[in-house]
Amino acid sequence: MADENETSAPVITVEEPLDLIRLSLDERIYVKMRNERELRGRLHAYDQHLNMVLGEVEETVTTVEIDEETYEEVYRTTKRNIPMLFVRGDGVILVSPPMRGSV
Amino acid sequence: MTSLSTARDRYNAANSLLCLLQALEGRVAVVELRNEMAVKGLISQVDGFMNVSLQNATVQGNDDHHYHFEEFFVKARNIRYVQIPEDIDITEAIKNQLEGKPKAHKTDMSSTTKAKLARKRQKETLKFIQQQQQAEKNEIEPQPPGTSQETDE
């Protein structure tokens, strides 16, 4: 009789998409929001509306300006840091682990 | 604190992160709105839909002038962020908030219609079983009493 079952790791069941967010609790995540905003922070809490509480969060706002002379698009980003932030869920587009090389 | 809240409000709050915002009642916080304005003030009430009333509020929009209001009401949909004061422990605050809510129903359920009906049915079933046993007993003893009888049970 094989003893494989005795050394199995604790099973994490993922049944619905919200469970994927549960996997990221207390980890740093990347949140894309409406109006060209992005948040990177530590996920402390979330709910079914995707209201979230993020700690040590950096918000990046991206704006596009058209240069009048050269007619080229200039992308500008504005960043700011907030120690603890409650985010209302209806502004959230997606939630993801932070992308490689840009934590 | 929940003076005007309906059962729907309390249900919504207890089942989402609204309870955290309600735990902020009485604290000063900055509410950032969707229209790029920020309101700093004392959160007096948060209802079940996340509408927020603030007192002694200062409204600032993109380094425009500051406007001061004694009372300021934000409709839920207009909120983008709420900056939570650093000295609040999230889990602690939510726990306190949920424990403080009154229970929705009385804990003693024995006088409800359901319970009464269940007790009535139980009595009827017991009576029925008793009659069954009585009937079986009567079948088993066709002989008159006096002769030796074996008890099955």
Side-chain angles (χ1 to χ4, degrees):
Chain A
M1 297 260 281
D3 287 310
E4 292 156 4
N5 288 338
E6 292 182 12
T7 51
S8 60
V11 175
I12 304 173
T13 43
V14 173
E15 279 167 8
E16 49 172 31
L18 278 184
D19 290 341
L20 285 176
I21 302 184
R22 181 162 53 89
L23 296 179
S24 304
L25 267 178
D26 225 27
E27 310 267 349
R28 289 200 69 85
I29 53 163
Y30 163 80
V31 180
K32 185 190 232 256
M33 295 188 56
R34 304 180 70 171
N35 292 116
E36 305 288 322
R37 282 161 195 262
E38 298 164 2
L39 296 173
R40 280 173 213 281
R42 182 172 302 272
L43 180 65
H44 286 287
Y46 74 97
D47 68 5
Q48 70 274 27
H49 304 294
L50 256 44
N51 297 328
M52 290 185 286
V53 179
L54 295 174
E56 300 146 29
V57 48
E58 178 196 73
E59 180 204 34
T60 310
V61 187
T62 306
T63 52
V64 185
E65 287 164 18
I66 310 274
D67 192 335
E68 288 298 322
E69 295 143 30
T70 61
Y71 295 113
E72 62 181 45
E73 295 174 333
V74 178
Y75 286 87
R76 285 227 174 85
T77 62
T78 318
K79 296 195 189 204
R80 69 191 169 123
N81 288 297
I82 302 151
M84 187 70 75
L85 193 69
F86 176 96
V87 182
R88 188 171 151 91
D90 60 9
V92 173
I93 295 179
L94 64 85
V95 177
S96 153
M99 295 182 288
R100 294 254 172 247
S102 54
V103 176
Chain B
M1 251 182 245
T2 51
S3 51
L4 294 175
S5 67
T6 61
R8 171 63 57 187
D9 278 353
R10 289 195 293 269
Y11 174 83
N12 284 346
N15 286 288
S16 69
L17 273 184
L18 261 188
C19 45
L20 176 62
L21 281 189
Q22 288 182 340
L24 287 182
E25 282 172 357
R27 300 290 305 257
V28 172
V30 181
V31 180
E32 294 190 32
L33 309 181
R34 284 196 315 174
N35 63 358
E36 318 279 329
M37 286 192 164
V39 186
K40 179 171 181 170
L42 184 102
I43 296 184
S44 57
Q45 204 173 28
V46 179
D47 73 0
F49 300 107
M50 216 194 278
N51 300 323
V52 178
S53 322
L54 299 113
Q55 282 172 351
N56 201 11
T58 322
V59 184
Q60 179 188 14
N62 282 348
D63 283 345
D64 285 344
H65 307 288
H66 296 239
Y67 299 98
H68 182 263
F69 299 101
E70 279 304 315
E71 304 269 348
F72 199 80
F73 177 85
V74 182
K75 218 148 149 40
R77 189 89 176 95
N78 292 307
I79 295 177
R80 184 180 278 143
Y81 308 127
V82 176
Q83 294 183 13
I84 302 176
E86 286 185 70
D87 53 351
I88 287 193
D89 179 18
I90 312 278
T91 31
E92 191 72 38
I94 295 182
K95 235 191 267 186
N96 288 339
Q97 188 66 20
L98 292 180
E99 277 165 16
K101 286 194 198 289
K103 274 198 142 180
H105 58 83
K106 15 179 223 232
T107 16
D108 179 24
M109 305 282 265
S110 57
S111 61
T112 59
T113 316
K114 199 172 179 181
K116 285 184 202 157
L117 202 59
R119 278 199 293 271
K120 188 170 153 210
R121 292 222 180 93
Q122 195 181 27
K123 273 192 202 149
E124 285 169 8
T125 316
L126 285 175
K127 208 164 147 193
F128 178 71
I129 294 177
Q130 228 174 8
Q131 286 170 349
Q132 287 274 7
Q133 289 176 345
Q134 205 65 33
E136 281 174 21
K137 224 173 163 183
N138 288 341
E139 281 180 22
I140 290 173
E141 47 169 89
Q143 311 106 337
T147 54
S148 62
Q149 288 173 356
E150 288 175 347
T151 50
D152 281 347
E153 294 170 31

